Amino acid sequence: RHSIFLSPFSIVKSIGLSFIQLISLLVTFPIAWPSIFVAIFQVGGAITVLGQHFVNLKCMIPSESYTDADVFYGIALAWGVAPPLLLLACVTTWHVVDKCMPCFEVSDLTMKMKTSCVALLYLLWPSLSSQTFSLFACRSVCDDNVSYLRADLDEVCWHDRHLYYALTLGLPMLIGYVVGLPLLAFWRVRAMHQKR
């Protein structure tokens, strides 16, 4: 039986990771942060979401073929399907290590797979939340009644393509990832406490 109590080092590590994830989310708010705060937020974000800070996919896709909105929706779709695929890859990797690498003896395979999947989702959650909220991030230009997508000011919000992506991708991500993952974690922790 595994103890649900964590060592002081594990608690400090968890608090530190949570703090870094939080400051990486703060830069996405439409606030005129002082430059020193933006630098701190970017360093924190680089620790947890390296790919977003080192590779700008918009620069890799020819601008004459695709608009900023096309690239934005493609990235959002990739974020929408990434967590299940990454979890599958994580579980598969553990099985491959266990079955195909005799030099590594894996004890308690199920616990290691669960721990790896939880850690992976924990590190992905800030980026998933940020990407989900960016699907709903709209602003008005010149104080008119029409709002436009922040990622591409040529894309009208809540009409045609944006409405389709907001309802079929943004809403499921909001329910499943942004709200669902913390609720699932709360339910599991509560169930563990009740078993004591």
Side-chain angles (χ1 to χ4, degrees):
R1 183 177 165 182
H2 297 278
S3 173
I4 62 170
F5 296 106
L6 300 173
S7 68
F9 177 72
S10 296
I11 294 170
V12 169
K13 186 169 54 175
S14 176
I15 292 170
L17 273 174
S18 296
F19 177 73
I20 290 169
Q21 290 173 334
L22 177 64
I23 64 172
S24 70
L25 283 175
L26 289 175
V27 77
T28 62
F29 296 144
I31 297 173
W33 296 105
S35 57
I36 185 67
F37 286 134
V38 173
I40 292 170
F41 297 158
Q42 287 173 342
V43 169
I47 293 170
T48 56
V49 284
L50 291 172
Q52 287 185 346
H53 293 270
F54 287 128
V55 178
N56 188 346
L57 293 178
K58 290 181 184 177
C59 296
M60 299 172 62
I61 297 172
S63 58
E64 60 273 356
S65 302
Y66 299 97
T67 65
D68 285 347
D70 294 332
V71 176
F72 172 76
Y73 291 133
I75 293 170
L77 188 59
W79 273 106
V81 299
L85 296 178
L86 288 172
L87 292 178
L88 180 64
C90 182
V91 170
T92 304
T93 301
W94 274 112
H95 280 296
V96 167
V97 168
D98 184 44
K99 303 286 187 218
C100 302
M101 297 185 177
C103 55
F104 292 105
E105 183 180 336
V106 180
S107 60
D108 203 358
L109 178 65
T110 304
M111 181 57 72
K112 285 187 169 65
M113 285 191 299
K114 288 180 180 178
T115 304
S116 299
C117 289
V118 168
L120 184 63
L121 289 174
Y122 183 76
L123 289 174
L124 282 177
W125 190 80
S127 297
L128 286 169
S129 300
S130 177
Q131 188 62 50
T132 301
F133 290 129
S134 68
L135 280 164
F136 303 103
C138 299
R139 61 176 293 180
S140 60
V141 179
C142 300
D143 296 325
D144 58 8
N145 292 329
V146 180
S147 59
Y148 298 91
L149 187 65
R150 284 186 179 272
D152 184 358
L153 292 178
D154 291 327
E155 184 81 4
V156 178
C157 281
W158 310 113
H159 289 88
D160 301 328
R161 182 167 62 165
H162 178 261
L163 182 63
Y164 174 77
Y165 274 97
L167 294 178
T168 61
L169 182 62
L171 195 59
M173 285 176 71
L174 184 65
I175 295 169
Y177 298 147
V178 178
V179 177
L181 289 177
L183 283 179
L184 180 63
F186 173 76
W187 175 75
R188 288 293 298 149
V189 169
R190 188 174 178 194
M192 289 171 68
H193 277 285
Q194 287 176 346
K195 284 182 182 176
R196 290 192 311 148

